[in-house]
Structures are given as C-alpha cells and as structure tokens.
C-alpha cells in the first residue's frame, strides 16, 4: 500500500503525466457517452449540406456525404480506443503467458518460444501486420488479429527476462520446498513481481497501436465505411484535402492528442515505477 501511494504521489508531481491522464479520462467519458453527446447521427446522409465548413450548426463541418464530422469524430473514439484496448489486453495476456512459460521452464520450451519471438521481431510490426491483414481481408476484427499476432513478442521477451531473474530468488526456492506447484508459483509469486514493466509498456503501446489501427484503416484494411473510425475518416477526407481540409484536420488532431496522452502517462508511470531511469536520463 505504501508503495502504491508513493507511485500515485510521484505521478501527481509529473505535470505531463497528469495531463495525459486527464485527457485519457476525458476520452473514456466520451467513449462511454458517445451516442448521447454526439449532436447528430454519425452515419446519416445530408447531401444538401455536403462539404460544409465548420459553423454554428456543424462545429467541425460536414463530409462529402453531408455527415457531421464532430459526431463521427466522437463516435470514432469508440472504435479507435476500443480496438486498441482489446489488442493491448490480448497481447498482454499472450505475452505474459508465453514469456512466463519460457522463463520459468527453460530448456526446449524456452528455445522454441524465443526462436518464434526472434522470427517475428525480424520484421517491422506494421509491415507484418499489413501482410496478415491483407491476407485475412479488410475488417476491424482482422486488423485486431493482425496486430495481436505481431505485437505480443515484445511483452514475452520482457517477461521472460524478468522471470529468469525472479525465479532464482530465495522466496521462490522456499515455495518449491513447501511443495507449491509450478503454476501456483508462477501466478502467485512470480507474476506480481514482473508486471511493472509490462504496465508501462502497455500504456506506451496504446499510442502505437492506435496509430497502427489508423494506418491500416487509412489503407483500407481496417474499418469499412460508413463506420466512423479515425483512420477511415482520414482516408475518406484525403480526396478533399485542398477543398475541405477539416475532413482530415479534426480526426488527425484526435489521433495526435490521444497518442500524446498515452505517451505522457506511460513516461510518468515508467519514472514512478523505476525512478532510476529518470535519474539516468538526466545524467
């Protein structure tokens, strides 16, 4: 409890982390209340008001089909943040399971898992995800599958290294001497001691995954029209970049602000969980 209070206090003193947390909290509220706070139906067509500039009735203007950009941006948060959250949860669970298994049991199991990790790390994440999503076909589900397949390896490597260090501690030997099973030792004694770097990595990866989802959707592999996802909105606004720049400006700003918020919070968590990293950075 004292350690948790210390972490919270450290975060409170980090203005960027607090700013990031407030932005994320605001976005979470928007995601929950999106259908109630969006002023218009995000997929309703109004061809008479197509490509309207921002005004009193449409604060962010309308797109080429007369749909309200503000409503689509608000509802798009549900898809962008929701998809990123699902992907992060999946890669965390998969990475923790594979990394713990490799680090705790070692031997042949460790060799097989880590060679698979090495193969996947040999390719840039976004390129490999692009190939997988292209093979599976364009859809939100396939984009999440593609990103989950390529993203878990970083978690597995970090967890494995931490497990190798922790499993040699005296309290682990004591647990074995008491007759505790391997699964009990891994879940009860090892995992709680190796999760800190994973939490930091997951927070930072939220921004990267949001960018990757937007990139794949921009290329036509993710959300399909009329779904109001930020990357899809950028793609739909691209032909009108000169005549109606607001179609790309507002979803682009939302992506930028969201990614920055998670990066700020992730940096703050990293410094709070391991203050030595901040001291090294200053030096």
């Amino acid at each position: 409890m004292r350690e948790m209070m210390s972490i919270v206090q450290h975060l409170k003193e980090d203005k960027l982390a607090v700013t990031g947390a407030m932005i994320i909290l605001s976005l979470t509220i928007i995601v929950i209340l999106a259908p109630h706070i969006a002023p218009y139906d995000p997929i309703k067509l109004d061809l008479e008001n197509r490509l309207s500039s921002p005004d009193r009735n449409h604060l962010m203007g309308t797109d080429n089909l007369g749909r309200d950009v503000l409503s689509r941006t608000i509802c798009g948060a549900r898809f962008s943040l929701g998809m990123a959250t699902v992907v992060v949860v999946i890669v965390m669970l998969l990475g923790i399971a594979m990394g713990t298994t490799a680090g705790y049991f070692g031997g042949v199991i460790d060799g097989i898992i880590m060679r698979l990790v090495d193969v996947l790390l040999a390719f840039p994440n976004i390129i490999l995800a692009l190939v997988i999503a292209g093979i599976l076909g364009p859809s939100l589900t396939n984009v999440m599958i593609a990103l989950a397949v390529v993203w878990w390896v970083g978690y597995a490597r970090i967890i494995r290294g931490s497990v190798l260090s922790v499993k040699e501690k005296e309290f682990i030997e004591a647990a074995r001497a008491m007759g505790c099973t391997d699964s009990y030792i891994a879940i009860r004694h090892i995992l709680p001691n190796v999760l800190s770097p994973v939490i930091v990595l997951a927070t930072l990866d939220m921004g990267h995954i949001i960018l990757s989802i937007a990139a794949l959707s921009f290329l036509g592999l993710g959300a399909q029209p009329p779904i109001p996802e930020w990357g899809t909105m950028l793609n739909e606004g691209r032909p009108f970049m000169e005549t109606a720049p607001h179609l790309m400006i507002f979803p682009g700003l939302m992506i930028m602000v969201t990614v920055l918020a998670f990066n700020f919070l992730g940096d703050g968590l990293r410094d709070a969980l391991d203050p030595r990293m901040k001291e090294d950075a200053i030096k």
Side-chain angles (χ1 to χ4, degrees), residues 115-282:
R115 295 300 75 74
L116 176 61
V117 168
D118 291 339
V119 170
L120 292 176
L121 286 176
F123 301 92
N125 285 347
I126 189 63
I127 300 300
L128 189 55
L130 177 64
V131 172
I132 295 173
I135 293 173
L136 295 177
S139 77
L140 288 173
T141 301
N142 291 340
V143 163
M144 289 191 289
I145 292 173
L147 290 174
V149 167
V150 303
W151 224 281
W152 65 270
V153 293
Y155 294 80
R157 172 164 284 187
I158 289 175
I159 286 290
R160 173 185 177 269
S162 300
V163 169
L164 287 173
S165 175
V166 172
K167 77 173 186 177
E168 303 300 331
K169 302 292 184 180
E170 292 181 356
F171 67 92
I172 300 297
E173 294 296 331
R176 290 197 187 100
M178 293 173 61
C180 296
T181 62
D182 289 332
S183 59
Y184 180 85
I185 293 174
I187 296 173
R188 181 66 180 83
H189 296 292
I190 292 181
L191 280 183
N193 290 282
V194 300
L195 287 180
S196 293
V198 173
I199 294 173
V200 175
L201 182 60
T203 306
L204 293 171
D205 270 353
M206 277 292 293
H208 297 152
I209 290 175
I210 288 172
L211 280 175
S212 298
I213 291 172
L216 293 175
S217 294
F218 180 81
L219 294 173
L221 295 173
Q224 301 299 301
I227 295 175
E229 192 273 332
W230 292 338
T232 303
M233 292 175 64
L234 286 174
N235 187 34
E236 292 175 340
R238 182 171 48 84
F240 310 97
M241 184 167 53
E242 295 183 1
T243 57
H246 63 276
L247 298 185
M248 299 191 72
I249 289 174
F250 293 116
L253 283 175
M254 288 300 297
I255 294 172
M256 182 188 73
V257 169
T258 304
V259 172
L260 281 175
F262 279 106
N263 285 345
F264 289 159
L265 181 58
D267 288 340
L269 283 173
R270 180 195 60 197
D271 295 338
L273 293 171
D274 189 0
R276 292 173 300 179
M277 296 185 67
K278 185 174 184 179
E279 295 175 1
D280 293 340
I282 294 175

Side-chain angles (χ1 to χ4, degrees), residues 4-22:
M4 180 61 66
M5 293 300 295
S6 175
I7 292 173
V8 172
Q9 183 61 34
H10 195 288
L11 287 175
K12 286 182 179 179
E13 296 173 356
D14 190 330
K15 293 181 179 180
L16 288 179
V18 172
T19 301
M22 294 301 295

Side-chain angles (χ1 to χ4, degrees), residues 67-118:
R67 298 170 297 192
D68 183 63
V69 175
L70 174 59
S71 299
R72 290 179 63 77
T73 302
I74 290 173
C75 294
R78 277 194 156 187
F79 292 97
S80 296
L81 289 178
M83 290 170 60
T85 301
V86 171
V87 172
V88 167
V89 170
I90 292 174
V91 299
M92 280 182 64
L93 294 176
L94 186 57
I96 288 171
M98 300 293 276
T100 303
T101 301
Y104 187 78
F105 293 102
V108 176
I109 295 177
D110 181 28
I112 293 174
I113 293 176
M114 296 316 296
R115 295 300 75 74
L116 176 61
V117 168
D118 291 339

